[in-house]
Amino acid sequence: MVDSSYRPSHEGTLDRDSMTLSRHVLQQLQSFGPEAQDLSALMNRIALAGKIIARRLSRAGLVEAALGFTGEQNVQGEDVKKMDVYANDVFISVFKQSGLVCRLASEEMEKPYYIPENCPLGRYTLLYDPIDGSSNVDINLNVGSIFAIRQQQGSDDAETGEDLLQNGRNQLAAGYILYGPSTVLVYSLGRGVHAFVLDPSLGEFILAQANIQIPPHGPVYSVNEGNFWQWEDSLRDYIRYMHRHEGYTARYSGALVGDFHRILLQGGVFLYPGTVKKPDGKLRLLYESAPLAFLAEQAGGQASTGAQQVLDVEPQALHQRTPLIIGSRENVALVESFIQEEERERAAALR
Ligand code: AHG
Ligand code: MN
Ligand code: MN
């Protein structure tokens, strides 16, 4: 006879240690169906890429040819670091054999990387920023990887697949891995935002915080004030308001993932606005802003371009940039109010 009265004496600890990422995905989707299995396997692969990248970062100062620049520029005209290339290749090699993904689109590749052998069954596209904040790599500060999963659509080998030209509400999953003192993976399947910490002794990401909510208001504003004189007046007015009002403090690490993680947990706002010369700013819509916007909304926060919700932007190109104002609801609304005020003044002057 089955003994249902037995209670393991370490139940609490073991339950916590065994809430792995793949188990969590299946639990979230409340299904063992094919799509749930796919998403669980996809997240498992992303976690594997994260572990491989974290391993190299943790010893980068000791490994030959891990630090510094390659001497090349990427399609965006930015100097490429050796770690950018390494991490980009990690994602390719992990997903090439997965059977799950038909296309990979990355900051470091001009066109999506097409894996024809996977396409008959692997109806997904993975978008990613392999190393976000790569200026931090050589000085041993935090960096991250950002990812989003979309349902693959349109002809498989299209230069820019149809699914890539849809707004961010069509993301099936999104998240990031933060390589800091701990390696932390934060993700959402559109059912809340959850954080996992890599337990190196298990080699597994274990659930650390479920259903994270961004505080509605927070003290931090996170922006590169070195661009102050390149901004529109509205942004300068907003920053002056921050300087003159108590209860605000600035934090900026040079890595979006780290700065966003602080705001996700403690509240505030991260901004990378457009400048007069570059009205769309620096951050890329498809593999930086949209995935983080998905998380922000899922956590009760907001993500705006100043003109519309980031998740409503219909992409025109794979590497398109967008201004980003992201974080606590009230902080984002305050920034938007300065932008709208300037627009009203401009419209009045034209009348
Ligand atoms: P990446 O390393 O992927 O190119 O991204 C860098 C981004 C982002 O992480 C960070 O917030 C921002 O660029 C920093 O840019 P500035 O140096 O212009 O502030
Ligand atoms: Mn980046
Ligand atoms: Mn990058």
Side-chain angles (χ1 to χ4, degrees), residues 76-191:
Q76 350 238 347
E78 295 162 345
D79 294 325
V80 175
K81 290 237 150 130
K82 290 175 186 159
M83 209 52 218
D84 291 321
V85 176
Y86 177 82
N88 191 54
D89 292 351
V90 166
F91 276 92
I92 293 176
S93 89
V94 161
F95 279 95
K96 223 174 163 174
Q97 279 108 40
S98 70
L100 292 161
V101 156
C102 177
R103 280 194 303 246
L104 297 166
S106 146
E107 177 190 341
E108 303 302 336
M109 298 185 289
E110 187 178 353
K111 293 179 189 157
Y113 185 98
Y114 172 42
I115 314 172
E117 60 274 27
N118 287 355
C119 292
L121 291 172
R123 308 307 295 167
Y124 299 94
T125 303
L126 179 80
L127 294 106
Y128 63 107
D129 177 357
I131 296 285
D132 172 67
S134 43
S135 77
N136 281 3
V137 165
D138 292 350
I139 50 170
N140 190 33
L141 288 184
N142 68 272
V143 294
S145 302
I146 307 176
F147 60 86
I149 299 167
R150 290 177 178 235
Q151 189 78 62
Q152 199 271 342
Q153 280 172 13
S155 82
D156 293 347
D157 55 354
E159 261 200 16
T160 311
E162 247 169 59
D163 50 327
L164 302 180
L165 299 180
Q166 292 173 4
N167 71 42
R169 302 203 181 275
N170 290 308
Q171 296 173 110
L172 295 175
Y176 57 82
I177 302 160
L178 170 62
Y179 311 102
S182 311
T183 300
V184 177
L185 187 152
V186 175
Y187 90 118
S188 178
L189 298 169
R191 296 165 194 226

Side-chain angles (χ1 to χ4, degrees), residues 24-67:
H24 192 260
V25 174
L26 296 172
Q27 209 177 69
Q28 285 262 296
L29 297 173
Q30 295 174 334
S31 155
F32 287 99
E35 198 193 37
Q37 296 285 355
D38 282 358
L39 284 169
S40 169
L42 281 160
M43 286 307 307
N44 230 356
R45 291 275 159 171
I46 290 169
L48 174 61
K51 288 181 222 173
I52 298 173
I53 295 166
R55 181 181 64 179
R56 188 158 177 100
L57 283 168
S58 71
R59 301 166 52 245
L62 302 173
V63 177
E64 215 179 309
L67 300 179

